[in-house]
Amino acid sequence: MSHVSVELVPRSIESLESDLRALRQQFPTLDTVNIPDLLRFPLRSWDACRVARRFVPHAIPHLRAMDFPPEKPFPLLDLFTEAGIDSVLVVAGDPPQSPAHPVYPVRPIEWIRRLKSEAPDLRVYAAFDPYRAGMHAELESARAKLDAGADGLFSQPFFDVRLLDVWAELLAGYSVWWGFSPVLSAATRRYWETKNQAVFPAGFAPTLDWNRRFAGEALRWVRERDADAYFMPIRVGVVDWLGGLL
């Protein structure tokens, strides 16, 4: 069965609870959220997921590999058990702005291997980016993470179903959460193109109407393949973007 997640930014407990109530009211069949770990906010992803579990059956925290010392046991297993968190997404993480925040030379592939060794029942996802490197290099990176023990992948957002078709063929047989995000201005498009080397179709338009049509097309694509999808609402209300589609 196809599953859908919405990515929520954990600015505060109050704002997170407000977002979760709105999701539960507008999309009562939505069963999953995933939450990034953003150091500019005091609420860490796992604490945000503990809050989210009061509203949805599944909450997936992002874990920054560089934040965990390699010589110590993973410190969050008891919290995960208590909160009913059974899945995580491992990312590399951006260097912190504050020099007081400790980081360690741990790559995602190393952290995935450690996590699966210490918590074999924990479902561990790895990130994959179809844009940042050549297709062959990124495919090899994704397969290396899967070989290290990752149970599946979370993609960077796609904006063209034709590219989805290519990657779905390359990753056939693997569990993938396919990502989608709205782009509602020329400046945001430039950000995706220059920062992330994203690819847009020739008919793309930075409008809510185009992004709603594409979200509907993406959902049909995902459901036809019994795959999973996550939606990352940026600079738009999730109801305005996905209302009537989920």
Side-chain angles (χ1 to χ4, degrees):
M1 184 177 67
S2 184
H3 292 277
V4 173
S5 177
V6 172
E7 184 165 307
L8 297 179
V9 175
R11 294 178 176 85
S12 67
I13 290 179
E14 293 75 20
S15 70
L16 181 63
E17 288 179 335
S18 177
D19 290 341
L20 288 161
R21 289 191 190 97
L23 286 178
R24 187 167 62 181
Q25 179 179 0
Q26 296 294 332
F27 311 112
T29 61
L30 185 77
D31 65 357
T32 306
V33 297
N34 60 285
I35 300 182
D37 196 36
L38 304 173
L39 298 184
R40 65 181 182 274
F41 301 121
L43 189 62
R44 300 302 296 266
S45 64
W46 47 88
D47 291 321
C49 283
R50 184 161 50 178
V51 173
R53 281 283 289 111
R54 303 203 305 265
F55 296 84
V56 292
H58 306 288
I60 303 174
H62 300 197
L63 300 182
R64 295 158 39 92
M66 66 171 62
D67 283 350
F68 298 94
E71 71 281 359
K72 294 183 179 180
F74 182 54
L76 300 175
L77 288 181
D78 289 343
L79 182 152
F80 285 1
T81 300
E82 175 196 348
I85 296 170
D86 59 9
S87 304
V88 299
L89 168 58
V90 172
V91 300
D94 294 324
Q97 293 185 338
S98 170
H101 184 91
V103 294
Y104 306 91
V106 179
R107 297 181 304 158
I109 191 169
E110 297 163 346
W111 191 233
I112 289 166
R113 191 175 289 113
R114 273 279 309 281
L115 275 178
K116 292 302 292 186
S117 174
E118 293 188 32
D121 293 333
L122 185 67
R123 192 160 181 83
V124 177
Y125 293 101
F128 105 87
D129 188 334
Y131 312 116
R132 67 181 167 189
M135 189 170 287
H136 178 76
E138 187 59 29
L139 182 60
E140 288 301 304
S141 174
R143 286 175 173 166
K145 293 172 183 176
L146 292 161
D147 289 343
D151 297 285
L153 302 167
F154 265 69
S155 80
Q156 276 276 38
F158 281 80
F159 307 100
D160 191 330
V161 292
R162 294 170 299 178
L163 191 57
L164 279 168
D165 284 334
V166 172
W167 276 101
E169 182 176 327
L170 293 172
L171 294 171
Y174 296 116
S175 173
V176 181
W177 288 81
W178 302 98
F180 306 99
S181 184
V183 173
L184 295 170
S185 70
T188 303
R189 175 178 179 169
R190 285 195 299 273
Y191 170 85
W192 277 104
E193 289 177 327
T194 57
K195 176 78 172 178
N196 297 311
Q197 290 81 54
V199 177
F200 291 82
F204 168 79
T207 64
L208 183 59
D209 184 58
W210 188 94
N211 281 275
R212 279 182 55 81
R213 286 201 307 272
F214 178 67
E217 187 178 0
L219 271 171
R220 287 191 296 274
W221 185 94
V222 165
R223 286 169 174 163
E224 285 171 0
R225 290 157 179 79
D226 198 27
D228 301 321
Y230 79 95
F231 289 85
M232 184 196 307
I234 298 176
R235 300 184 183 278
V236 65
V238 67
V239 175
D240 293 334
W241 180 30
L242 300 177
L245 299 176
L246 294 183

